[in-house]
């Protein structure tokens, strides 16, 4: 059964979650993403803290800055994310 929580509560949960994202798993990320979606809470910058493809939180990400792009290589699946700076 899914416990119904308010939007403020969901927001708080998401904030707490990203405070120690490094000890989370892709499963947890999936859950929190769904929570955000359900409550219409955009993750914005927080999305850069985990891999878009396999949802694994970045541990010691390999970050490269190139031509105004931030390039992060996921050590888990090898997916390369590019963010505009
Ligand atoms: Zn990945």
């Amino acid at each position: 059964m899914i416990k119904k929580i308010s939007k403020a509560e969901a927001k708080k949960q998401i904030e707490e979650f990203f405070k120690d994202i490094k000890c989370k798993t892709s499963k947890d990320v999936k859950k929190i993403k769904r929570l955000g979606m359900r409550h219409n809470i955009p993750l914005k910058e927080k999305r850069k803290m985990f891999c878009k493809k396999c949802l694994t939180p970045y541990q010691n990400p390999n970050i490269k800055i190139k031509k105004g792009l931030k390039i992060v290589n996921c050590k888990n699946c090898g997916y390369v994310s590019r963010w505009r700076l």
Side-chain angles (χ1 to χ4, degrees), residues 8 15-16 48 51 55 63 66 71 79:
E15 290 295 329
E16 288 296 312
K48 299 180 186 178
C51 174
L55 303 178
I63 303 174
K66 211 173 166 186
I71 300 165
Y79 183 78

Side-chain angles (χ1 to χ4, degrees), residues 15-67:
E15 290 295 329
E16 288 296 312
F17 177 85
F18 280 97
K19 262 183 209 161
D20 52 11
I21 178 91
K22 287 195 177 179
C23 46
K24 307 292 186 199
T25 66
S26 56
K27 249 187 184 166
D28 298 324
V29 173
K30 210 172 190 172
K31 237 186 270 171
I32 219 77
K33 262 185 88 177
R34 211 178 298 147
L35 182 73
M37 267 195 279
R38 202 160 48 217
H39 292 273
N40 227 340
I41 301 165
L43 296 180
K44 287 183 203 159
E45 289 293 307
K46 296 183 185 72
R47 278 169 44 234
K48 299 180 186 178
M49 292 165 89
F50 56 86
C51 174
K52 202 162 90 182
K53 199 165 183 200
C54 65
L55 303 178
T56 301
Y58 293 129
Q59 298 297 334
N60 295 297
N62 201 345
I63 303 174
K64 272 183 250 165
I65 309 282
K66 211 173 166 186
K67 287 182 191 165

